[in-house]
Amino acid sequence: MTPRDRAALEPILRIVAETVRSRPGAAMVPGARRLVREKAAWLVELLRRSPALRAHAAAVLAARRPDARTRALAALLLSPDDGVVDAVITWLDLGRAPTADREAERHARRVADLRKRLQAERTRRAYADEDARRSRELLDEMRVAKADLEGRVAALNQRLTIEQSRWREPRTIAAGLLRTLERPPSPGDDAAARDPKNDSVAEPYTEVLRTAAADIGRTPDELLHVVRAIADPASVRPRAQAVRELDLRITPLGGDTQIGGSCLLVEAGGTRLLIDAGLRPGHPPQPPRDIGRATDGPLHGVVVTHAHNDHCGYVPALASRDPAPRILATPETVRLMPVMWADGAKLMRDRSRGFGRWGAEAPAHYGSAEIDAAARRCEEVPFGVPRRVGELTVELFPAGHILGAAGVVVRAGERRVVVTGDISGFRQESVDGYALPDSARDADLLVLESTCCGDEHDPRNLRVGDFVREVREVCQGGGRVLIPAFALGRAQEIALLLRRHLPEVPVRIDGLAVDVSTAYEMATKGSARSLSIFGGPVAVAERPAELDTFRTGVVITTSGMLRGGPVVRWAARILPEPGSALFISGYQDEESTGGRLLAHRNGTFTLHDHGREVTVPVRARITDMRLSAHADRRGLLDIADEVGAHRTMLVHGALQRQRMFREVLRIRGHDTVETTRWTAP
């Protein structure tokens, strides 16, 4: 049919459509124009079948005075003769139109139905994909949780093996007994006994020592002599008279003008002693910068100031290379070091595997066997009890900072050197501030840490108050607080602060912080200051379940710089929550994930977890929370004043800050030396 024929046909079909719509019951029938547009073939079929309809349409059309072409077409299509009508329908090719229209309609309905089914399938597919994604995430979380649990079990078994091995060693048993017998007597309860100006002579022996000596018919000194001979044979050998010619030398081998890899070599009279042997942070971590200078000759001992890996992390590697050096530390540090060593070995092993997949090398410095060997050789040294190592005598004193942290007084003949290690003077929930012994005063050299020598911190009670207030605000608003914390020291301090100040707020601890917190409780059990970290509102996080079900409270987890571990999984949930918060609780280097998050506190952020990337929107509040466990500039000046050393050397700090602080010390009347090799005059 040509367009002209179609135009001529339309008025005729419109009359038919109007007639159809005029019949009773046709209220739901579409309008005439729509019927002509969509049902033309059907209207033609009605005309072919009904002569009456043709007659009616002819009468109505005549009254409307159509154009000549429409009149000519109507004369044929509306003829009373059925044969004429059939002929014109065939001629105009209208006979097949109804079938074509019906096919088109069926096709359109089929297409519409298929589109609906396709959309439904797409929706079901989207739900299935989301379920599969969540299942994969849950499976991944369960695998990680299983690996964490297996790691904890392995670590506990290793620690149990270490303790069993240590206490089968006669020297270890004797050292434990010696620690008990040599413990200084506690001051009396009366004010005179506690008065430091009281010149009366105190009883030099404890009741335990006097009772034990009496039971075997010996004097306390004789009993101590026998036990010392077993624990430390060198301490009872004849000793040359101490003279100035011992030629005392101090050489920083690491952690001098940088933070990390702390290591100090002390030499006198042929004895060579290290104070600390820590790892330098990095990927992979590195030994102290000049550790080769310590191992190029005999090494008689290593004194560890505390259990942070930047001070003790290389000790197992040293112990594996040379079985001779003794390892001395406080009882608490002896118990904490294997936990930190085991975690360090696991991280080094994982990095080594990762580097190996790329054809690179990152060998681990030690493994389980080296940790076992080093732990068995550790000697527990109480505060205030001298220990002899060759021609040197060492005495540990409380340094604050973290549980078990010690400063060291090294005596070589008439010369004395005081090494603070990491030190703080304020009381914390887990440990008191430093306490200098008389042997530290007026020393020849003070080796002073300088981590925060350029900072002046607000009073600790104000910082704690701000922290508690911000946590309370978030939790009262129904949000969660995520605190990435260093596993040793910071995590326990935060948990104890929250337990004391916000007992109504639930707290969860995750990652390595769980094992260290357990070690804290075990190391202090039965002591004058027993620490209970778990209990009440504080519990171990049940991951993966609580990633989504723990909706209000505080999560303390590792790692402190967001470099990997459980903190990534928690952050992926908490960062997108507008009512929640993430508190950065300690030092962050600029390249760390925590440092980058502090610099970009909104938009989207990408977290990295052992090669896996997770990008999330940042809607939670990001807060820089400073609860340093290091003495600030004023605190370090107080220490320098109290020691009153002839010379002061700065270590464990940034070079530019050390230069400025050295000038402050000079103005205060302290003679300083460069951070390099020092020889006693």
Side-chain angles (χ1 to χ4, degrees):
M1 180 185 293
T2 66
R4 292 182 65 189
D5 291 338
R6 189 177 293 109
L9 179 63
E10 184 176 350
I12 300 171
L13 295 181
R14 189 179 299 122
I15 293 172
V16 178
E18 291 171 353
T19 302
V20 171
R21 285 183 48 49
S22 66
R23 293 180 179 181
M28 301 301 293
V29 176
R33 289 182 180 276
R34 182 176 172 185
L35 279 175
V36 172
R37 186 173 63 253
E38 298 179 359
K39 303 290 185 180
W42 178 64
L43 296 176
V44 170
E45 181 67 13
L46 289 178
L47 286 175
R48 187 183 67 79
R49 293 182 179 183
S50 175
L53 180 58
R54 295 198 296 269
H56 173 73
V60 174
L61 184 65
R64 295 182 180 179
R65 299 180 180 181
D67 58 37
R69 193 170 186 83
T70 300
R71 286 197 303 272
L73 180 61
L76 299 172
L77 186 61
L78 301 180
S79 170
D81 189 335
D82 290 344
V84 173
V85 174
D86 288 340
V88 73
I89 290 175
T90 302
W91 175 55
L92 294 175
D93 201 24
L94 297 176
R96 293 191 300 272
T99 302
D101 279 358
R102 285 194 294 273
E103 288 297 327
E105 290 174 10
R106 283 196 295 271
H107 178 70
R109 286 195 297 270
R110 190 177 299 113
V111 169
D113 181 60
L114 288 174
R115 284 176 176 167
K116 289 181 180 178
R117 290 169 60 186
L118 178 61
Q119 183 59 41
E121 290 300 323
R122 284 175 175 168
T123 301
R124 281 194 288 270
R125 172 66 181 274
Y127 283 132
D129 287 346
E130 179 64 17
D131 288 343
R133 184 187 65 80
R134 291 180 178 176
S135 296
R136 286 193 298 270
E137 287 185 353
L138 180 59
L139 182 60
D140 182 57
E141 293 293 347
M142 292 178 67
R143 286 173 179 164
V144 172
K146 180 183 177 182
D148 287 348
L149 181 59
E150 290 174 347
R152 288 176 186 170
V153 171
L156 288 172
N157 285 334
Q158 184 179 28
R159 284 158 56 189
L160 177 60
T161 301
I162 290 171
E163 286 300 312
Q164 289 174 336
S165 299
R166 289 185 68 238
W167 292 105
R168 283 196 294 266
E169 295 284 341
R171 289 186 60 178
T172 300
I173 298 172
L177 178 59
L178 189 61
R179 175 168 59 89
T180 300
L181 297 178
E182 287 184 325
R183 181 177 295 137
S186 301
D189 293 331
D190 60 287
R194 297 193 301 270
D195 185 359
K197 298 181 180 179
N198 185 359
D199 294 330
S200 59
V201 178
E203 169 58 52
Y205 305 122
T206 63
E207 181 65 27
V208 172
L209 175 57
R210 286 188 280 109
T211 301
D215 287 343
I216 63 173
R218 293 289 187 270
T219 67
D221 284 335
E222 289 173 335
L223 176 57
L224 286 175
H225 182 84
V226 172
V227 178
R228 283 175 184 151
I230 301 172
D232 181 13
S235 66
V236 297
R237 292 172 187 162
R239 184 178 182 186
Q241 185 177 359
V243 293
R244 298 173 61 91
E245 286 73 14
L246 285 177
D247 191 22
L248 175 64
R249 296 185 301 279
I250 306 294
T251 308
L253 303 182
D256 41 14
T257 56
Q258 62 181 4
I259 297 174
S262 291
C263 190
L264 196 72
L265 177 62
V266 182
E267 301 173 278
T271 299
R272 304 173 78 242
L273 174 74
L274 286 182
I275 297 179
D276 287 338
L279 288 171
R280 288 181 288 161
H283 300 281
Q286 298 295 322
R289 185 191 61 249
D290 295 326
I291 192 63
R293 297 178 63 178
T295 57
D296 63 3
L299 190 61
H300 301 92
V302 181
V303 178
V304 179
T305 61
H306 64 288
H308 276 149
N309 271 330
D310 64 332
H311 289 258
C312 76
Y314 195 67
V315 171
L318 278 178
S320 68
R321 296 171 62 173
D322 185 351
R326 299 161 57 192
I327 303 171
L328 296 86
T330 63
E332 296 83 1
T333 298
V334 167
R335 284 165 173 76
L336 291 169
M337 281 192 296
V339 181
M340 303 304 294
W341 290 339
D343 182 68
K346 175 181 178 297
L347 293 177
M348 286 187 284
R349 185 172 60 251
D350 291 344
R351 287 192 187 101
S352 181
R353 291 171 180 169
F355 275 68
R357 286 194 291 268
W358 292 94
E361 292 186 1
H365 297 299
Y366 50 82
S368 297
E370 290 78 13
I371 293 172
D372 291 347
R376 284 196 299 269
R377 286 164 54 188
C378 288
E379 300 180 27
E380 300 180 4
V381 181
F383 293 131
V385 177
R387 281 285 187 271
R388 183 179 167 188
V389 181
E391 294 300 324
L392 298 173
T393 300
V394 298
E395 178 185 350
L396 306 184
F397 63 88
H401 189 54
I402 66 167
L403 183 67
V408 188
V409 180
V410 183
R411 187 186 298 272
E414 299 176 1
R415 301 298 192 189
R416 285 174 295 123
V417 175
V418 177
V419 182
T420 64
D422 289 354
I423 193 168
S424 61
F426 43 82
R427 187 185 190 279
Q428 302 178 64
E429 295 295 314
S430 53
V431 65
D432 291 329
Y434 71 84
L436 288 175
D438 291 338
S439 58
R441 306 180 196 281
D442 197 33
D444 294 274
L445 178 69
L446 169 64
V447 181
L448 179 65
E449 73 123 319
S450 55
T451 310
C452 296
C453 66
D455 302 329
E456 288 200 8
H457 300 150
D458 293 331
R460 185 169 178 83
N461 63 328
L462 295 182
R463 286 179 284 155
V464 169
D466 290 342
F467 165 65
V468 170
R469 184 183 64 256
E470 292 190 35
V471 171
R472 182 186 291 113
E473 289 175 358
V474 174
C475 294
Q476 286 181 346
R480 299 189 278 182
V481 176
L482 175 62
I483 305 179
F486 299 113
L488 173 55
R490 186 66 52 84
Q492 294 73 38
E493 184 67 17
I494 292 172
L496 291 169
L497 280 171
L498 292 172
R499 186 169 180 176
R500 182 157 76 94
H501 293 282
L502 295 174
E504 73 281 5
V505 172
V507 178
R508 297 294 181 266
I509 300 179
D510 202 355
L512 177 62
V514 173
D515 296 332
V516 177
S517 298
T518 302
Y520 256 58
E521 293 186 335
M522 294 176 63
T524 60
K525 186 176 182 180
S527 69
R529 192 172 180 179
S530 179
L531 297 177
S532 296
I533 297 170
F534 296 108
V538 183
V540 176
E542 296 182 9
R543 186 166 39 85
E546 287 191 324
L547 288 170
D548 297 309
T549 60
F550 184 70
R551 300 307 308 166
T552 301
V554 179
V555 179
I556 306 168
T557 184
T558 50
S559 70
M561 293 191 187
L562 282 80
R563 282 194 166 120
V567 69
V568 174
R569 297 168 181 84
W570 286 104
R573 262 73 168 190
I574 293 176
L575 282 177
E577 299 174 355
S580 295
L582 188 150
F583 289 0
I584 301 294
S585 66
Y587 170 77
Q588 307 287 318
D589 66 56
E590 294 181 358
E591 299 303 319
S592 70
T593 307
R596 291 189 292 106
L597 182 59
L598 282 174
H600 304 87
R601 304 189 184 200
N602 49 38
T604 59
F605 190 77
T606 300
L607 300 160
H608 299 269
D609 184 23
H610 301 296
R612 186 171 66 101
E613 292 188 351
V614 181
T615 301
V616 296
V618 179
R619 302 188 185 98
R621 186 201 322 173
I622 309 299
T623 300
D624 186 7
M625 177 195 69
R626 291 289 181 173
L627 285 176
S628 176
H630 292 267
D632 65 359
R633 186 170 70 92
R634 289 173 297 187
L636 293 172
L637 289 173
D638 289 342
I639 295 168
D641 290 344
E642 192 170 348
V643 173
H646 300 172
R647 299 285 188 276
T648 299
M649 177 190 294
L650 300 181
V651 296
H652 202 272
L655 177 60
Q656 190 57 37
R657 286 188 165 198
Q658 287 177 341
R659 287 172 177 168
M660 297 174 64
F661 186 59
R662 193 178 291 118
E663 182 62 19
V664 174
L665 286 169
R666 187 190 65 78
I667 294 172
R668 290 278 288 253
H670 295 281
D671 289 335
T672 63
V673 297
E674 295 294 323
T675 306
T676 185
R677 182 170 179 171
W678 175 87
T679 301

